[in-house]
Amino acid sequence: MFLTISTTGTPERPATDLGFLLHKHPGKAQEFSTSHGTAHVFYPEATAERCTAALLLEVDPVALVRRGHGKGRGGAPDAALAQYVNDRPYAASSLLAVALSGVFRSALAGRCTARPDLPEQPRPLRVEIPALPARGGAELVHRLFGPLGWASVRTEPVALDERFPEWGDSRYVRLVLEGELKLDDALRQLYVLLPVLDDAKHYWIAPDEVDKLLRAGDGWLAAHPEHALIAARYLARHKRLTQNAIERLELARLAEADGSEAEELDNAVDESPDAEERSVPLAVRRREAVLAALRTAGAARVLDLGCGQGQLVQALLKDVSFTEIVGVDVSMRALATAARRLRLERMGERQSSRVTLLQGSLAYTDKRLAGYDAAVLSEVIEHLDLPRLPALEYAVFGAARPRTVLVTTPNVEYNVRWESLPAGHVRHRDHRFEWTREEFRAWAGQVAAKYGYTVAYVPVGDDDPEVGPPTQMAVFTTATDTPKEGEAA
Ligand code: SAH
């Protein structure tokens, strides 16, 4: 199991600084005993211009079995283990990632006692992995490394056997990454993504594995479009741990983007000086449109999904026809603000029995959300990565299944009308997408058809003859009580 890391340099910034960064002297070959065998670190080249460090792990089958890795979860011998013993000895599997973290612990943490300034500096790096086991193939390798700041991600198929090209390709690819990165960022990516690509079933999941993932993913994983796949595979598809990891990643991302600005920005752009009369802020008009649609639907028990700081919950409480109001958000910080806004603590018993705030991610089915009259998703869907949207659709339309669902989202066509919004920009940093009217209708129509709802569209804000309204709302109503057969999976 084998990988190399190279860098180039100049007399002032010699490439051999790599030795300091890795805490391994370029002049000697070293051996380390790890839980899975012996790791070797050596430098095939070490000049001021070019320096390459190689990490090679000699897997020791006896050590593997002694450590209990030879047994599956139920204690039965694990057939997947055989792969590591019979595998090409240089395949860079999840075991190599474990060796990497052991041998280069300080480098992974970005520590360098001898030269504390070094880890801070990005440098030209080239990582080569001659045989990377990749379940999902080269395409997935590109999806995973593509968004991580490398100038080039190259993959080549590895033939099953060079002597017999007609046998086709093996499950390995040769991977070369090149770019200007900090070494610790590169190592932490590899530490996470090697086991993710290997997708080995035998991988032992310790209780602190989520913490390890989040530590190694610091600064790159939360914003990665494939963070859900990465978490699921890294955690060997352990459901509860994966859910926990994804929630914490979503929170980290929202904290970075500061999830509270959506309304502020809408207000700011709404009050642009060219507005004829002081217009009602868009957020207020949106709330009024939602309240009107809920009243028309005759809803009494209402979910506010992605309730944020609780403005809608507060408005619902003022109308006694809403007998039960549940605000759900993934962000504890938003919920804490909502609780303060509502003065939950000082609320009388009668009032407080009407309202509940729940923490949870909308990308998971949640039994607590079943059986309500209506659900509101106000300015929420655009905060989810597109690949995660079907999970939300299932959780809301398939599992919770309220009679009415209201979804609002920005109409991107209207963005040209915001004076203060530079062309081509979304309205909020955390928006993963903003749709045209046509795109929104295509999405809503397909969701309605899949889950047995009918859908109508309501403009929110001034309906511009050319570009439409600033906010678009879809009103879904159940056509049947249960989803169409076979659609609910
Ligand atoms: N509904 C409010 C807030 C919109 S901002 C309004 O109309 O003003 C989007 C909200 O969705 C944020 O509070 C964010 O924390 C929440 N959110 C984003 N992704 C979520 C998820 N996966 N699960 C639950 N809430 C989420």
Side-chain angles (χ1 to χ4, degrees), residues 250-251 253-254 259 262-263 283 286-287 304-312 328-331 334 360-363 376-380 382-384 388 392 408 430:
E250 279 168 1
L251 283 173
R253 203 189 75 206
L254 289 166
E263 195 167 21
R286 198 159 44 225
R287 221 143 46 226
D304 183 9
L305 305 177
C307 63
Q309 305 183 347
Q311 291 93 336
L312 178 65
V328 182
D329 207 286
V330 73
S331 160
S361 172
L362 300 171
V376 179
L377 286 156
S378 166
E379 307 297 283
V380 173
E382 64 275 11
H383 290 268
L384 272 86
R388 303 278 292 152
L392 173 142
T408 80
D430 189 52

Side-chain angles (χ1 to χ4, degrees), residues 5 53 60 118 178 222 235 246 274 322 338 370 393 439 446 454 461:
I5 303 167
D60 172 1
L118 276 187
E178 280 173 320
L235 297 166
I246 292 174
D274 70 311
F322 300 111
E393 292 159 20
E439 285 167 326
Q446 160 253 313
T454 57

